[in-house]
Amino acid sequence: MNILHVSLWPIDRKSIGGTEKYIICLSSALKELSIDNEVLMLSGKETTINKVHYIPLSLSSIKKLDEYSIKKIFFNKFNIKALQEFAKKIESDFDFSKYDIIHFNSLLFYFCAFNKKRIFTIHINQIGFEQNWGKNSFGIISKIIRNDKDSKTAFIVPSKYYADDYRKKFAKKIAIIPHSLPESFSKEKMAGRKQDEDKCYLNILVPSRLEIKQKGQDLLLESLSIIKNKLPKYKLILAGIDRQYKPNVMILKKVAKKLGIDLVFQKLRMEEMKNAYDRADLIVLPSRYESFGYAALESLTLGKKTVLSDIPTHKEIALGNKYAFMEGNNPILLGKAILKAINSNYRGQIDKRWIKRYSNNHWISKNIKFYKSCISK
């Protein structure tokens, strides 16, 4: 079995996005089991991560193609023709023929490798898709999928909530395979204990990309302004400052200044995230929507007090984990959950049933079984 994972995003050891983590975890786990697989990226630098080869796409007629320029070059108008032209350009510069199955991680690749066995993991919901690609773009791609009678294409969704939704929109079978983390993530000794100067603070970490419309950092700032007189001395740390989000740093600084909130921005590499979690007293993830919620899974796996917005995917992940706190999605209810988490005295092991649900061995076994079932069709 030879698998090609295809990513819209560049991936390296600094990547902290959920889709990038998913590809790294999956490809690395397959490699450990001696299953051949490679990763094709729309952009980035050629690299090797955990013995897996990561290949940037090299388009002969386009000097630079990445997730920022792709909309301008191919998707000024989102329609079938644009998707077909995008696929044609990729196929003219990359040979998919040697792989048994192509595992795409964006629906934008829908017309690529159409004669191959294909899997699409859907990492974005309708709100996020249309925010990126325009009004009714998800409706257009849904209609294309619904009308496609090709049995060689299969779909994976990490969330039961969205699987039910996509079954209706796509009229296709959808496999539910929740994401997982390598066992080493929770077993390795963390080296990020609080520094002396931090011990007098309550360290609040928001380990999300600085994508305000989705991740809701603005909601958190408003919430903290409401409850600030009830809080101990704290330090608010916002992570995920990739270059495309630098303008959002200024936006949040202005909001924070207006509300009288102090905050710190940190650009953390993937290998630094675990230490950041360890130094934190409280994790807050105020997202407006998520297709899954990798940061929530990481935080709860480590047994960190985690305040989550009350959205469907967070509810799924939080179920059965005592370290999750949810009250609602508006600033007042988010503040209530923060105070409840701070005042809680939870200790001890995470429920074994929750751990089993997100077991890495269980996750990789389900993926391999799904690959084999798709190849045998």
Side-chain angles (χ1 to χ4, degrees):
M1 183 161 55
N2 192 0
I3 302 162
L4 178 71
H5 310 274
V6 184
S7 171
L8 193 65
W9 320 110
I11 301 174
D12 58 31
R13 294 185 182 277
K14 299 177 184 178
S15 302
I16 67 167
T19 302
E20 297 96 303
K21 289 178 182 177
Y22 168 83
I23 293 172
I24 291 173
C25 289
L26 181 55
S27 62
S28 300
L30 291 170
K31 196 69 174 179
E32 285 182 9
L33 295 171
S34 300
I35 296 174
D36 291 333
N37 71 111
E38 294 181 314
V39 178
L40 175 66
M41 307 175 292
L42 195 63
S43 60
K45 294 181 180 180
E46 185 173 5
T47 188
T48 299
I49 300 176
N50 299 331
K51 299 182 181 180
V52 177
H53 188 199
Y54 286 70
I55 312 160
L57 186 66
S58 178
L59 296 177
S60 56
S61 60
I62 298 175
K63 196 169 185 179
K64 184 179 181 182
L65 183 64
D66 58 25
E67 72 272 26
Y68 313 115
S69 60
I70 185 177
K71 187 172 184 179
K72 184 177 180 181
I73 296 171
F74 289 102
F75 297 107
N76 266 329
K77 189 172 183 181
F78 193 95
N79 53 33
I80 293 177
K81 184 179 178 182
L83 289 163
Q84 289 172 333
E85 287 296 319
F86 178 55
K88 184 178 178 182
K89 175 54 66 178
I90 291 173
E91 290 182 330
S92 69
D93 285 85
F94 189 83
D95 182 9
F96 291 93
S97 63
K98 75 173 185 177
Y99 303 97
D100 297 308
I101 196 159
I102 318 296
H103 190 162
F104 293 101
N105 288 277
S106 171
L107 292 175
L108 294 183
F109 296 109
Y110 199 74
F111 286 105
C112 289
F114 215 74
N115 62 333
K116 300 290 293 184
K117 303 288 180 70
R118 310 183 306 163
I119 293 173
F120 287 84
T121 293
I122 305 173
H123 296 278
I124 191 168
N125 62 15
Q126 180 172 348
I127 299 169
F129 197 90
E130 297 199 342
Q131 182 178 308
N132 290 339
W133 307 108
K135 188 176 180 181
N136 198 38
S137 56
F138 195 81
I140 291 169
I141 198 75
S142 296
K143 186 176 180 181
I144 292 168
I145 296 170
R146 193 165 55 247
N147 293 336
D148 177 19
K149 306 305 179 184
D150 180 17
S151 61
K152 296 192 294 292
T153 302
F155 300 88
I156 295 174
V157 173
S159 158
K160 183 182 182 302
Y161 175 84
Y162 284 114
D164 293 340
D165 185 42
Y166 293 146
R167 286 189 187 110
K168 296 173 187 174
K169 287 183 168 70
F170 297 169
K172 294 283 190 294
K173 290 183 178 179
I174 307 285
I176 305 169
I177 307 180
H179 298 333
S180 180
L181 297 168
E183 288 187 17
S184 60
F185 185 81
S186 57
K187 288 183 177 179
E188 286 176 359
K189 186 178 180 181
M190 290 186 283
R193 298 298 171 188
K194 292 176 75 171
Q195 303 296 319
D196 289 340
E197 63 268 23
D198 287 338
K199 289 181 180 178
C200 58
Y201 293 95
L202 175 81
N203 279 338
I204 302 174
L205 174 67
V206 186
S208 306
R209 289 181 291 107
L210 217 64
E211 174 56 76
I212 301 171
K213 288 183 180 179
Q214 179 191 354
K215 301 299 183 179
Q217 290 91 343
D218 55 333
L219 293 178
L220 175 59
L221 292 180
E222 188 175 347
S223 179
L224 292 174
S225 73
I226 293 170
I227 62 171
K228 61 184 177 183
N229 292 332
K230 298 178 181 179
L231 291 172
K233 194 174 182 181
Y234 70 91
K235 180 185 287 186
L236 176 62
I237 302 164
L238 303 185
I241 314 171
D242 293 336
R243 63 186 175 91
Q244 71 269 39
Y245 302 127
K246 285 184 179 179
N248 290 349
V249 172
M250 300 310 299
I251 291 171
L252 290 171
K253 280 183 176 180
K254 287 180 181 178
V255 173
K257 185 177 181 180
K258 183 179 178 181
L259 295 173
I261 303 294
D262 293 324
L263 71 170
V264 176
F265 294 93
Q266 288 186 359
K267 185 173 183 177
L268 300 170
R269 298 183 180 188
M270 185 180 288
E271 64 266 23
E272 296 170 329
M273 286 304 299
K274 193 173 177 183
N275 290 338
Y277 281 120
D278 193 40
R279 288 192 298 269
D281 300 296
L282 181 67
I283 311 298
V284 184
L285 296 163
S287 303
R288 291 179 169 91
Y289 60 88
E290 293 282 358
S291 61
F292 180 68
Y294 238 109
L297 180 60
E298 289 174 334
S299 180
L300 292 172
T301 296
L302 295 172
K304 304 297 294 188
K305 293 181 183 179
T306 308
V307 173
L308 301 168
S309 55
D310 190 8
I311 58 176
T313 52
H314 279 170
K315 286 180 180 178
E316 288 181 40
I317 296 172
L319 184 65
N321 192 304
K322 64 183 178 182
Y323 292 102
F325 297 84
M326 288 188 294
E327 294 290 340
N329 292 339
N330 64 58
I332 293 174
L333 292 176
L334 188 65
K336 183 178 177 182
I338 290 170
L339 293 174
K340 187 175 180 180
I342 291 170
N343 294 322
S344 71
N345 293 310
Y346 289 161
R347 294 288 187 276
Q349 297 296 314
I350 302 167
D351 191 294
K352 289 181 180 179
R353 289 169 295 181
W354 189 91
I355 294 172
K356 184 178 179 181
R357 191 162 82 233
Y358 294 107
S359 157
N360 192 254
N361 289 336
H362 181 61
W363 175 69
I364 194 62
S365 295
K366 289 187 76 172
N367 276 283
I368 291 171
K369 185 178 179 180
F370 192 65
Y371 285 139
K372 289 179 177 178
S373 70
C374 292
I375 290 171
S376 64
K377 285 183 180 178

